[in-house]
Amino acid sequence: MKISKIIIYNEPSVPEINIEKIKEFILKIFKIEIEIRENIFNDLDRKMGEKIASTRIFNLKKSFEKHIPTIDEIFIELENIDMSNKQEMIMYDGFELNQIIRELITKVENTQKILHIVFTNKLTCTFDESDFKYHARALLGSNPTIISTTGIIEAPAKPRQYYMDLMTNFSKESIEQIKKKYKGEFLEYNDPRLSDIVQGYLLQAIFYYETGEMFCDNNQCRLFNAHWQKELLVSQIENKKLCKNHEKILDKMKNNIL
Ligand SMILES: [Zn+2]
Protein backbone atom coordinates (compact mmCIF):
# COMPACT_ATOMS: atom_id res chain seq x y z
CA MET A 1 0.00 0.00 0.00
CA LYS A 2 1.02 3.59 -0.63
CA ILE A 3 0.16 4.46 2.93
CA SER A 4 1.77 3.11 6.04
CA LYS A 5 -0.20 5.20 8.47
CA ILE A 6 -3.57 6.91 8.77
CA ILE A 7 -4.15 9.89 11.01
CA ILE A 8 -7.82 10.44 11.83
CA TYR A 9 -8.95 13.76 13.26
CA ASN A 10 -12.02 13.33 15.39
CA GLU A 11 -15.18 15.41 15.55
CA PRO A 12 -16.19 15.13 19.22
CA SER A 13 -19.45 17.01 18.66
CA VAL A 14 -20.59 13.88 16.77
CA PRO A 15 -19.95 11.05 19.26
CA GLU A 16 -21.85 8.67 16.93
CA ILE A 17 -18.68 8.50 14.82
CA ASN A 18 -17.42 6.22 17.58
CA ILE A 19 -13.74 6.86 16.91
CA GLU A 20 -12.42 3.83 18.80
CA LYS A 21 -14.67 1.52 16.81
CA ILE A 22 -13.40 3.18 13.63
CA LYS A 23 -9.84 2.53 14.69
CA GLU A 24 -10.56 -1.17 15.30
CA PHE A 25 -12.41 -1.43 12.00
CA ILE A 26 -9.48 -0.11 9.96
CA LEU A 27 -6.89 -2.07 11.93
CA LYS A 28 -8.79 -5.27 11.32
CA ILE A 29 -8.84 -4.74 7.56
CA PHE A 30 -5.54 -3.07 6.81
CA LYS A 31 -3.17 -3.71 9.68
CA ILE A 32 -1.50 -0.34 9.30
CA GLU A 33 -0.71 2.22 11.94
CA ILE A 34 -3.65 4.39 13.01
CA GLU A 35 -3.43 7.51 15.09
CA ILE A 36 -6.46 9.30 16.46
CA ARG A 37 -6.15 13.02 17.04
CA GLU A 38 -8.38 15.72 18.40
CA ASN A 39 -10.47 17.93 16.16
CA ILE A 40 -8.20 19.55 13.56
CA PHE A 41 -10.01 22.87 13.99
CA ASN A 42 -9.15 23.16 17.68
CA ASP A 43 -6.93 26.07 18.76
CA LEU A 44 -6.71 27.82 15.42
CA ASP A 45 -4.80 31.07 15.26
CA ARG A 46 -6.59 34.15 13.98
CA LYS A 47 -5.13 33.93 10.51
CA MET A 48 -6.39 30.38 10.02
CA GLY A 49 -9.78 31.22 11.54
CA GLU A 50 -10.10 34.03 9.05
CA LYS A 51 -9.08 31.80 6.17
CA ILE A 52 -11.68 29.17 7.06
CA ALA A 53 -14.43 31.76 7.46
CA SER A 54 -13.49 33.13 4.02
CA THR A 55 -14.51 29.81 2.40
CA ARG A 56 -18.16 30.29 3.34
CA ILE A 57 -20.56 30.27 0.44
CA PHE A 58 -23.69 32.37 0.23
CA ASN A 59 -24.90 32.05 -3.32
CA LEU A 60 -25.51 28.43 -4.29
CA LYS A 61 -25.79 29.32 -7.96
CA LYS A 62 -22.41 31.01 -8.28
CA SER A 63 -18.96 29.46 -8.32
CA PHE A 64 -16.66 30.23 -5.41
CA GLU A 65 -15.87 33.84 -4.58
CA LYS A 66 -13.66 34.48 -1.60
CA HIS A 67 -15.75 35.87 1.22
CA ILE A 68 -14.52 38.66 3.46
CA PRO A 69 -15.52 37.39 6.89
CA THR A 70 -17.00 39.42 9.71
CA ILE A 71 -15.57 39.35 13.24
CA ASP A 72 -18.46 37.10 14.32
CA GLU A 73 -17.79 34.64 11.53
CA ILE A 74 -14.10 34.47 12.47
CA PHE A 75 -15.08 34.02 16.12
CA ILE A 76 -17.20 30.98 15.24
CA GLU A 77 -14.11 29.37 13.68
CA LEU A 78 -11.75 30.34 16.49
CA GLU A 79 -14.11 28.89 19.08
CA ASN A 80 -14.98 25.99 16.77
CA ILE A 81 -18.67 26.39 17.53
CA ASP A 82 -20.94 23.62 16.30
CA MET A 83 -23.19 25.25 13.71
CA SER A 84 -24.58 22.09 12.17
CA ASN A 85 -28.30 21.40 12.40
CA LYS A 86 -29.02 25.09 12.94
CA GLN A 87 -31.77 27.01 11.21
CA GLU A 88 -29.25 28.78 9.06
CA MET A 89 -26.71 26.23 8.09
CA ILE A 90 -23.24 27.46 7.22
CA MET A 91 -21.90 26.07 3.97
CA TYR A 92 -18.25 25.92 3.03
CA ASP A 93 -16.56 25.42 -0.31
CA GLY A 94 -15.08 21.96 0.16
CA PHE A 95 -12.09 22.37 -2.15
CA GLU A 96 -11.08 25.66 -0.53
CA LEU A 97 -11.47 24.16 2.93
CA ASN A 98 -9.40 21.17 1.86
CA GLN A 99 -6.53 23.50 0.87
CA ILE A 100 -6.66 25.19 4.26
CA ILE A 101 -6.61 21.88 6.09
CA ARG A 102 -3.49 21.02 4.12
CA GLU A 103 -1.85 24.11 5.67
CA LEU A 104 -2.76 22.82 9.13
CA ILE A 105 -0.75 19.65 8.57
CA THR A 106 2.93 19.92 9.39
CA LYS A 107 5.51 19.49 6.62
CA VAL A 108 6.90 16.34 8.22
CA GLU A 109 3.51 14.68 8.14
CA ASN A 110 2.59 16.00 4.73
CA THR A 111 3.83 12.93 2.94
CA GLN A 112 2.31 10.34 0.61
CA LYS A 113 2.86 7.68 3.25
CA ILE A 114 0.45 9.25 5.72
CA LEU A 115 -3.22 9.57 4.87
CA HIS A 116 -4.98 12.31 6.81
CA ILE A 117 -8.72 11.86 7.30
CA VAL A 118 -10.56 14.76 8.84
CA PHE A 119 -14.00 14.34 10.37
CA THR A 120 -15.96 17.55 10.63
CA ASN A 121 -19.49 18.73 11.33
CA LYS A 122 -18.96 21.57 8.83
CA LEU A 123 -21.16 21.24 5.77
CA THR A 124 -18.87 20.98 2.75
CA CYS A 125 -20.20 21.73 -0.71
CA THR A 126 -18.75 21.77 -4.21
CA PHE A 127 -19.79 23.74 -7.25
CA ASP A 128 -20.93 21.54 -10.08
CA GLU A 129 -20.18 22.98 -13.53
CA SER A 130 -22.76 20.71 -15.14
CA ASP A 131 -25.75 22.33 -13.45
CA PHE A 132 -24.06 25.50 -12.13
CA LYS A 133 -25.04 24.81 -8.56
CA TYR A 134 -23.37 24.01 -5.28
CA HIS A 135 -24.13 20.57 -3.88
CA ALA A 136 -23.52 19.25 -0.36
CA ARG A 137 -20.81 16.60 -0.19
CA ALA A 138 -20.05 13.96 2.40
CA LEU A 139 -16.57 13.08 1.16
CA LEU A 140 -13.95 15.38 -0.28
CA GLY A 141 -10.41 15.26 -1.56
CA SER A 142 -7.75 12.61 -1.46
CA ASN A 143 -5.08 13.55 1.05
CA PRO A 144 -6.23 15.17 3.26
CA THR A 145 -9.73 13.73 2.96
CA ILE A 146 -12.66 15.49 4.58
CA ILE A 147 -15.61 13.44 5.78
CA SER A 148 -18.45 15.78 6.63
CA THR A 149 -20.93 14.22 9.04
CA THR A 150 -23.39 16.97 8.18
CA GLY A 151 -22.80 16.17 4.51
CA ILE A 152 -23.69 12.52 5.16
CA ILE A 153 -27.01 13.63 6.64
CA GLU A 154 -27.74 16.43 4.18
CA ALA A 155 -26.25 15.34 0.83
CA PRO A 156 -28.04 12.10 -0.10
CA ALA A 157 -31.65 12.98 -0.83
CA LYS A 158 -34.60 11.91 1.28
CA PRO A 159 -37.62 10.22 -0.34
CA ARG A 160 -39.32 12.50 -2.87
CA GLN A 161 -42.68 11.99 -1.20
CA TYR A 162 -41.22 13.36 2.05
CA TYR A 163 -40.40 16.69 0.40
CA MET A 164 -43.81 16.73 -1.28
CA ASP A 165 -45.56 16.13 2.03
CA LEU A 166 -43.53 18.92 3.60
CA MET A 167 -44.37 21.32 0.81
CA THR A 168 -48.10 20.84 1.26
CA ASN A 169 -48.09 21.13 5.05
CA PHE A 170 -47.21 24.29 6.84
CA SER A 171 -48.20 23.89 10.46
CA LYS A 172 -45.53 22.91 12.94
CA GLU A 173 -47.53 19.89 14.14
CA SER A 174 -47.98 18.44 10.70
CA ILE A 175 -44.26 18.85 9.95
CA GLU A 176 -43.52 16.84 13.08
CA GLN A 177 -46.03 14.22 11.96
CA ILE A 178 -44.45 13.96 8.54
CA LYS A 179 -41.05 13.50 10.14
CA LYS A 180 -42.50 10.73 12.27
CA LYS A 181 -44.06 9.04 9.26
CA TYR A 182 -40.69 8.79 7.52
CA LYS A 183 -38.65 8.05 10.62
CA GLY A 184 -35.88 5.56 9.97
CA GLU A 185 -35.94 6.07 6.21
CA PHE A 186 -33.16 8.62 6.33
CA LEU A 187 -30.42 9.71 8.70
CA GLU A 188 -31.03 12.33 11.31
CA TYR A 189 -28.62 14.23 13.53
CA ASN A 190 -27.30 12.01 16.34
CA ASP A 191 -28.42 8.94 14.43
CA PRO A 192 -26.71 5.84 15.90
CA ARG A 193 -26.43 4.39 12.38
CA LEU A 194 -23.81 7.04 11.58
CA SER A 195 -21.21 4.84 13.19
CA ASP A 196 -21.50 2.14 10.51
CA ILE A 197 -21.99 4.63 7.74
CA VAL A 198 -18.77 6.55 8.39
CA GLN A 199 -16.90 3.25 8.06
CA GLY A 200 -18.09 3.05 4.46
CA TYR A 201 -16.89 6.57 3.76
CA LEU A 202 -13.53 5.74 5.32
CA LEU A 203 -13.19 2.77 2.98
CA GLN A 204 -14.07 5.05 0.07
CA ALA A 205 -11.35 7.49 1.15
CA ILE A 206 -8.70 4.76 1.48
CA PHE A 207 -9.63 3.04 -1.80
CA TYR A 208 -9.62 6.35 -3.64
CA TYR A 209 -6.21 7.27 -2.34
CA GLU A 210 -4.75 3.87 -3.10
CA THR A 211 -6.33 3.17 -6.50
CA GLY A 212 -7.23 6.63 -7.82
CA GLU A 213 -10.71 5.32 -8.52
CA MET A 214 -13.65 6.88 -6.81
CA PHE A 215 -16.83 4.96 -6.06
CA CYS A 216 -18.34 1.73 -7.38
CA ASP A 217 -21.34 1.35 -9.69
CA ASN A 218 -22.72 -1.58 -7.74
CA ASN A 219 -25.38 -0.24 -5.36
CA GLN A 220 -24.74 -3.15 -2.96
CA CYS A 221 -21.07 -2.22 -2.49
CA ARG A 222 -19.78 -0.07 0.37
CA LEU A 223 -17.96 2.03 -2.21
CA PHE A 224 -21.22 2.99 -3.93
CA ASN A 225 -21.81 6.73 -4.24
CA ALA A 226 -25.27 7.03 -2.69
CA HIS A 227 -27.41 9.85 -4.04
CA TRP A 228 -30.39 8.81 -1.97
CA GLN A 229 -30.56 8.12 1.75
CA LYS A 230 -32.15 4.77 0.97
CA GLU A 231 -29.14 3.75 -1.13
CA LEU A 232 -26.84 4.80 1.69
CA LEU A 233 -28.73 2.67 4.20
CA VAL A 234 -28.76 -0.33 1.87
CA SER A 235 -25.04 -0.22 0.98
CA GLN A 236 -23.73 0.67 4.45
CA ILE A 237 -26.21 -0.91 6.88
CA GLU A 238 -28.21 -3.69 5.24
CA ASN A 239 -25.54 -5.10 2.98
CA LYS A 240 -22.41 -3.67 4.63
CA LYS A 241 -20.02 -5.43 2.26
CA LEU A 242 -17.73 -4.75 -0.65
CA CYS A 243 -18.68 -6.17 -4.04
CA LYS A 244 -16.68 -9.15 -5.34
CA ASN A 245 -14.56 -6.96 -7.58
CA HIS A 246 -13.59 -4.64 -4.72
CA GLU A 247 -12.93 -7.59 -2.41
CA LYS A 248 -10.34 -8.70 -4.97
CA ILE A 249 -8.86 -5.22 -5.21
CA LEU A 250 -8.69 -5.08 -1.42
CA ASP A 251 -6.77 -8.35 -1.36
CA LYS A 252 -4.29 -7.05 -3.90
CA MET A 253 -3.98 -3.82 -1.99
CA LYS A 254 -3.19 -5.61 1.26
CA ASN A 255 -0.65 -7.87 -0.46
CA ASN A 256 0.99 -4.92 -2.18
CA ILE A 257 0.36 -6.26 -5.66
CA LEU A 258 -1.90 -3.53 -6.86
ZN1 LIG B 1 -17.56 -2.33 -5.52
Side-chain angles (χ1 to χ4, degrees):
M1 287 178 75
K2 269 193 222 163
I3 41 174
S4 54
K5 180 178 176 177
I6 300 178
I7 300 178
I8 302 174
Y9 302 84
N10 196 11
E11 176 52 271
S13 74
V14 187
E16 294 78 21
I17 292 172
N18 204 337
I19 206 83
E20 282 307 316
K21 206 173 131 196
I22 290 282
K23 189 176 170 178
E24 274 170 42
F25 172 75
I26 297 182
L27 273 177
K28 216 169 131 191
I29 301 177
F30 296 101
K31 300 188 176 58
I32 47 177
E33 194 187 340
I34 313 278
E35 189 185 326
I36 306 291
R37 294 210 182 143
E38 284 181 20
N39 190 299
I40 199 162
F41 302 111
N42 278 357
D43 304 318
L44 295 175
D45 63 25
R46 199 194 143 91
K47 195 178 116 219
M48 291 314 284
E50 199 173 330
K51 276 191 175 185
I52 291 172
S54 75
T55 70
R56 280 188 183 215
I57 43 179
F58 295 89
N59 187 346
L60 291 179
K61 288 185 177 164
K62 252 177 132 183
S63 60
F64 182 68
E65 280 172 352
K66 200 171 172 184
H67 168 63
I68 298 167
T70 63
I71 302 283
D72 285 349
E73 289 165 354
I74 297 169
F75 180 79
I76 285 172
E77 303 305 337
L78 293 179
E79 294 295 316
N80 200 7
I81 298 169
D82 180 7
M83 299 297 285
S84 61
N85 199 14
K86 295 274 188 303
Q87 199 74 26
E88 247 180 84
M89 187 113 48
I90 302 175
M91 288 167 288
Y92 299 84
D93 183 289
F95 292 127
E96 297 290 326
L97 189 66
N98 199 284
Q99 288 302 318
I100 294 164
I101 290 175
R102 200 180 294 260
E103 289 178 41
L104 290 170
I105 294 167
T106 62
K107 273 210 175 86
V108 191
E109 290 184 336
N110 202 343
T111 138
Q112 276 209 327
K113 291 245 151 242
I114 306 175
L115 175 60
H116 299 265
I117 299 178
V118 175
F119 279 113
T120 180
N121 57 25
K122 293 186 197 301
L123 181 58
T124 45
C125 306
T126 57
F127 191 76
D128 192 336
E129 296 285 345
S130 65
D131 64 359
F132 296 100
K133 261 192 235 157
Y134 265 103
H135 295 272
R137 298 271 181 242
L139 184 74
L140 255 153
S142 57
N143 194 12
T145 295
I146 303 173
I147 298 178
S148 163
T149 50
T150 309
I152 296 173
I153 296 160
E154 301 291 344
K158 299 174 177 73
R160 238 172 231 149
Q161 192 58 45
Y162 168 77
Y163 296 114
M164 286 163 80
D165 285 2
L166 277 187
M167 273 190 276
T168 47
N169 285 278
F170 300 105
S171 75
K172 212 174 165 200
E173 287 93 85
S174 52
I175 287 173
E176 282 310 311
Q177 263 180 353
I178 293 164
K179 283 188 175 164
K180 230 184 205 164
K181 184 173 146 195
Y182 289 94
K183 199 165 176 61
E185 290 191 31
F186 48 80
L187 290 170
E188 292 172 86
Y189 289 88
N190 304 108
D191 199 306
R193 291 174 293 182
L194 265 175
S195 168
D196 284 334
I197 285 170
V198 291
Q199 291 178 358
Y201 281 104
L202 270 165
L203 286 177
Q204 290 177 11
I206 297 168
F207 267 76
Y208 180 48
Y209 189 64
E210 287 288 331
T211 67
E213 274 174 39
M214 197 118 193
F215 307 126
C216 177
D217 293 336
N218 184 339
N219 61 6
Q220 303 293 310
C221 178
R222 286 200 105 174
L223 305 186
F224 182 70
N225 183 17
H227 288 95
W228 293 89
Q229 290 279 331
K230 191 164 178 21
E231 295 172 330
L232 189 64
L233 297 174
V234 167
S235 56
Q236 307 300 347
I237 305 275
E238 282 176 34
N239 202 41
K240 219 179 169 185
K241 278 199 288 272
L242 290 172
C243 67
K244 285 206 174 89
N245 178 36
H246 280 109
E247 276 294 349
K248 277 188 208 153
I249 295 173
L250 175 65
D251 264 345
K252 285 187 186 166
M253 210 192 271
K254 288 198 285 191
N255 294 309
N256 286 316
I257 48 170
L258 196 67

